[in-house]
Amino acid sequence: MLNVTEQSLAMATQLLLDGQVVAFPTETVYGLGAWAFSESGVARIYEAKGRPSDNPLIVHIAPGADLHSLVSSVPPAASALMQRFWPGPLTLIMPKGPAISPRITGGLDTVAIRMPAHPAAIRLLEVSGLPLVAPSANSSGKPSPTTARHVWEDLQGRIPLILDGGPCGVGLESTVLDLTESRPVILRPGAITQAMLEAVIGPVEVDPAVRRNALLADHVKPKAPGMKYRHYAPKGKLIITDATPEQMRAWLTPAAPQERVGVVATRQYLDKLQPDERQVTAICLGDQDNTEELAAHLFGALRKADQQGLTLIYGQALPAEGLGEALMNRFIKASSQQIWINRRK
Ligand code: TXA
Ligand code: MG
């Protein structure tokens, strides 16, 4: 684990050229990078993460990099969106160029491209001069890492270098937008919301799988192959619920003695619940009126639940609007059950 300096960036560049992988910070989550044109680098990503090889990778590029070597055409909507949101947490799916290996796209004829906004990511892309494929730098099935320490916990001993750029600002992975269909479709919600996209290019659809929040069966081929895997799951059983603090208190009081119970919620919710009086672990996401803060803390909170050895975790359902849609998408994906008692599902 090294701070981002000219020296560590030079070391990272050498590793990438040698077909190695390097973890680095982005504004969304930490990425595990490899040179997009290194077969061994790409193979090492799947190996280090234990990731299924049909799940395609995002190609990360520096400001000013040549997009035309990566895609076969740039859809008209892409130009407007790149202008407005790049660098930033928006990944665009475009028709792939011939140079892009099927190992990157999982055999699809499209490729995902993103220009990250984190200064360290930009420096790495600029200093190396390489396009980098980079999935989130967690081991497959764990929450995406939002600190260098999370990466270290998951991948220590399996990768040669982690660049430490502090905690990630957004804390949820980028919005993935497919521009290869007749209408733009959000395949994964993120900090660039549907409303923000529509303000630039008009109507944008959301893939039904995002809102259904259901896990897809193995034989289904969803648009973003990553969507079919259970993600971000803590070891304990996570139940998302819209129960009020008063309602939840009744559940916590007779907590089964063999369970280690925790609650992941906003500060205001926890204040009313006072879970610690019941020997229940409180994990605070932040201020209920600050969705950015809640989003930035979600993945760390799920990791904390594991570290505390919790076996039963209640998660407070949060409003799924704006950035809240991405937040709830990840929260529900991590859960094994949802209990709605105050509204319809
Ligand atoms: O914020 C992010 O996007 C982070 C940081 C490191 O940049 N990266 C990230 O990568 O989240 P990953 O590999 O964990 O997620 C990529 C998602 C997956 O759901 C994958 O299926 C989808 O993008 N994807 C990639 N290429 C695709 C393609 N050609 N068509 C459809 N979906 C694609
Ligand atoms: Mg991931």
Side-chain angles (χ1 to χ4, degrees):
M1 212 147 90
L2 293 175
N3 289 326
V4 182
T5 61
E6 292 312 307
Q7 272 166 335
S8 63
L9 288 170
M11 190 186 292
T13 300
Q14 196 53 55
L15 286 165
L16 293 165
L17 286 168
D18 289 345
Q20 278 292 349
V21 292
V22 171
F24 65 98
T26 83
E27 77 279 24
T28 57
V29 300
Y30 273 73
L32 182 63
W35 180 18
F37 298 128
S38 164
E39 288 284 328
S40 68
V42 175
R44 280 203 169 96
I45 284 183
Y46 289 102
E47 218 173 86
K49 279 185 60 101
R51 175 178 172 120
S53 60
D54 68 341
N55 194 1
L57 301 170
I58 297 172
V59 181
H60 295 62
I61 58 172
D66 181 21
L67 190 58
H68 293 91
S69 63
L70 307 173
V71 302
S72 61
S73 67
V74 179
S79 310
L81 293 171
M82 293 187 290
Q83 176 79 20
R84 174 70 184 81
F85 296 115
W86 279 9
L90 175 65
T91 295
L92 299 175
I93 310 287
M94 297 187 250
K96 89 172 192 71
I100 298 287
S101 144
R103 302 287 313 258
I104 293 177
T105 65
L108 299 172
D109 52 11
T110 57
V111 62
I113 316 263
R114 134 165 162 81
M115 185 183 288
H118 194 290
I122 293 179
R123 285 298 289 147
L124 178 62
L125 291 162
E126 282 177 349
V127 168
S128 68
L130 307 172
L132 300 179
V133 282
S136 48
N138 51 303
S139 49
S140 214
K142 282 291 211 82
S144 291
T146 51
T147 66
R149 192 179 169 85
H150 294 162
V151 180
W152 184 81
E153 284 162 7
D154 281 14
L155 301 179
Q156 63 179 121
R158 308 177 72 170
I159 62 174
L161 177 60
I162 301 170
L163 294 174
D164 184 354
C168 301
V170 176
L172 301 175
E173 307 87 342
S174 61
T175 305
V176 176
L177 182 70
D178 186 357
L179 294 174
T180 64
E181 301 287 331
S182 50
R183 278 226 179 164
V185 187
I186 294 175
L187 304 184
R188 180 175 73 180
I192 307 296
T193 63
Q194 183 181 18
M196 290 162 77
L197 296 167
E198 289 187 331
V200 179
I201 56 167
V204 170
E205 285 170 17
V206 178
D207 191 283
V210 169
R211 292 204 168 137
R212 199 170 352 109
N213 278 314
L215 299 173
L216 300 169
D218 263 352
H219 62 274
V220 182
K221 251 204 177 284
K223 296 251 190 59
M227 290 196 307
K228 82 177 173 207
Y229 301 104
R230 183 171 183 229
H231 273 194
Y232 329 119
K235 294 195 190 90
K237 177 174 174 163
L238 172 62
I239 302 175
I240 306 287
T241 179
D242 65 351
T244 64
E246 293 71 28
Q247 288 167 328
M248 190 178 290
R249 225 180 272 163
W251 300 347
L252 298 181
T253 306
Q258 76 276 14
E259 298 277 19
R260 295 196 61 173
V261 183
V263 179
V264 176
T266 63
R267 185 168 55 253
Q268 287 84 347
Y269 191 98
L270 292 171
D271 280 348
K272 285 196 194 139
L273 186 67
Q274 298 181 319
D276 36 325
E277 286 175 12
R278 294 170 175 76
Q279 297 192 316
V280 166
T281 303
I283 302 180
C284 184
L285 290 174
D287 187 313
Q288 68 180 16
D289 299 319
N290 187 344
T291 311
E292 280 80 15
E293 183 187 4
L294 304 175
H297 291 156
L298 178 69
F299 288 148
L302 297 178
R303 284 179 179 261
K304 207 164 180 183
D306 276 349
Q307 282 155 7
Q308 308 262 338
L310 302 182
T311 59
L312 178 61
I313 308 142
Y314 292 106
Q316 177 195 359
L318 298 160
E321 285 124 41
L323 178 60
E325 168 147 43
L327 172 59
M328 280 307 287
N329 171 262
R330 308 307 195 280
F331 211 1
I332 285 182
K333 266 190 160 186
S335 71
S336 40
Q337 193 185 337
Q338 296 123 50
I339 302 179
W340 307 105
I341 52 181
N342 296 310
R343 62 174 157 88
R344 284 171 178 277
K345 194 170 163 188

